Amino acid sequence: VQLVESGGGSVRPGDSLRLSCQVSGFTLNDFAIGWFRQAPGKEREGVSCISEADGGSTYYSPTVEGRFTTSSVAVKNTVYLQMDNLKPEDTAVYYCASLPRFGSMCPALQYDDRSHWGKGTQVTVAS
């Protein structure tokens, strides 16, 4: 099982970025995929989640809802996080992780010891 994030970078407030999470060793129908982020000195927090098995349901943190959109392309085994109107407080390392495809963890943007993680990609928003 492997997850690889890409697409991070340094941008200005108001700009957009699209992150990708390429998964291997399983399909997007086997697990939900969550996006999490961790800023320096802060705890890791949930950003979004998508569950293909659960009808493509998507969930977002209130801090990003309306600005971020998660989607997936099953044939590419890839999940995306489109981030628009970025703010300095969005600066963090962004990770994707596998979550149970059904149940409460995806809607709650929570992970546990069973989650598989990528190594993360840095997003910096500064003027």
Side-chain angles (χ1 to χ4, degrees):
V1 173
Q2 189 175 19
L3 298 90
V4 179
E5 304 93 340
S6 62
S10 295
V11 298
R12 296 191 175 189
D15 285 352
S16 298
L17 277 176
R18 189 178 77 160
L19 306 183
S20 299
C21 175
Q22 174 78 53
V23 308
S24 59
F26 64 93
T27 73
L28 295 182
N29 202 47
D30 294 327
F31 292 97
I33 299 297
W35 285 97
F36 297 82
R37 66 187 183 185
Q38 188 164 20
K42 294 188 176 181
E43 293 187 354
R44 190 168 297 189
E45 64 170 344
V47 174
S48 68
C49 186
I50 183 168
S51 176
E52 282 299 320
D54 197 12
S57 296
T58 57
Y59 306 92
Y60 298 93
S61 163
T63 59
V64 307
E65 189 154 21
R67 300 188 297 123
F68 291 11
T69 304
T70 188
S71 61
S72 62
V73 178
V75 293
K76 293 186 176 181
N77 247 14
T78 301
V79 172
Y80 301 98
L81 183 67
Q82 176 67 39
M83 306 186 295
D84 297 320
N85 191 22
L86 282 160
K87 303 177 180 181
E89 51 264 41
D90 295 319
T91 295
V93 178
Y94 284 71
Y95 302 88
C96 59
S98 62
L99 302 178
R101 56 184 181 166
F102 299 117
S104 63
M105 291 182 66
C106 184
L109 305 179
Q110 293 179 340
Y111 58 89
D112 64 14
D113 290 345
R114 296 170 295 175
S115 297
H116 301 280
W117 292 87
K119 294 183 178 180
T121 185
Q122 176 71 46
V123 172
T124 302
V125 185
S127 54

